[in-house]
Amino acid sequence: MLGEKLRELREAKGLVQRQVAADLQVDTAYISKMEHNEKPVSRNHLKKLSKLYSVAENDLLPIWLADKVLQLVENEKFSVEALEMALNKVKQK
Amino acid sequence: MLGEKLRELREAKGLVQRQVAADLQVDTAYISKMEHNEKPVSRNHLKKLSKLYSVAENDLLPIWLADKVLQLVENEKFSVEALEMALNKVKQK
DNA sequence: TTAGTCTTGTCCTTTAAAGGTCAAATATAG
DNA sequence: CTATATTTGACCTTTAAAGGACAAGACTAA
């Protein structure tokens, strides 16, 4: 989810991975992997990316977190039940 | 959540931590911490505990996973949004 | 008061994930 | 064809979490 989004944003800005990589000070392979969801995106990188792509960090954060959640529950038999329980807990607070 | 549940189950069985600890081959401090949510419960331990307490592992698994999810999203601003997104994704599959 | 239970803090080791790089292979545009 | 962009896999180092022991203290109940 986040990877696809990041790719869209980058292309919308007309940037190549090399430019993004330079900004984050990593190599292009790393960017590629982020966009393929093969490497997690750190919060710091997320912040820089949101700046670079001119979107509010708050637009990206829910997706970013949802990705993490999905990764945690993937392949779990009771993912739905667990997410529903978690959601209830979080909401009631 | 899980910790409290484990404590209830243990007490319902009339077991003391020492006995549970022996079964899992850890010390009582470890059990105490599990019941206080200060140490994560491994899947293996969860399985053993469910046997020991005579409950279906499937009764415990959703709670166990929900706990992990909650820990992941705690202190996050967009926990609700993220959980809702994750839930949708998981459901549609 | 003593025995048994439980709790808490500190410490340690091992495992796994994060966070990368590099080189080579692939695709794509000109 | 060649240059540029991207992808992929293998590898590496660093950081953080898991998993756990131990000792000391607190809390009962007898």
Side-chain angles (χ1 to χ4, degrees), chain A residues 7 10 17-18 29 32-33 36:
Chain A
R7 165 142 308 186
R10 178 172 61 80
Q17 289 183 351
R18 179 173 39 75
S32 176
K33 284 171 187 173
H36 285 268

Side-chain angles (χ1 to χ4, degrees), chain A:
Chain A
M1 282 174 78
L2 181 61
E4 296 79 349
K5 182 83 181 178
L6 290 176
R7 165 142 308 186
E8 283 166 26
L9 290 171
R10 178 172 61 80
E11 292 179 340
K13 272 273 166 177
L15 298 172
V16 297
Q17 289 183 351
R18 179 173 39 75
Q19 298 173 289
V20 178
D23 193 84
L24 302 201
Q25 302 188 91
V26 298
D27 80 350
T28 66
Y30 203 68
I31 305 299
S32 176
K33 284 171 187 173
M34 284 180 178
E35 292 184 355
H36 285 268
N37 304 304
E38 274 156 34
K39 287 288 181 181
V41 178
S42 75
R43 263 195 110 128
N44 234 296
H45 283 337
L46 193 71
K47 176 178 299 188
K48 290 185 180 179
L49 290 170
S50 67
K51 282 226 165 80
L52 191 55
Y53 298 155
S54 311
V55 301
E57 199 187 349
N58 284 353
D59 288 350
L60 262 22
L61 271 172
I63 308 177
W64 171 83
L65 186 55
D67 258 17
K68 288 194 172 286
V69 170
L70 283 167
Q71 178 181 280
L72 179 64
V73 304
E74 83 183 351
N75 307 323
E76 291 287 349
K77 195 170 170 185
F78 297 105
S79 50
V80 172
E81 293 82 346
L83 289 176
E84 281 169 350
M85 287 180 55
L87 195 51
N88 282 340
K89 275 279 172 187
V90 161
K91 274 184 172 168
Q92 76 167 60
K93 250 192 37 174

Side-chain angles (χ1 to χ4, degrees), chain B residues 1 9-10 12 14-15 27 29 41-42 69 71 80 85 88 92:
Chain B
M1 281 174 78
L9 289 171
R10 177 173 62 80
L15 297 173
D27 79 350
V41 178
S42 76
V69 170
Q71 177 181 282
V80 172
M85 288 182 54
N88 282 340
Q92 77 167 59

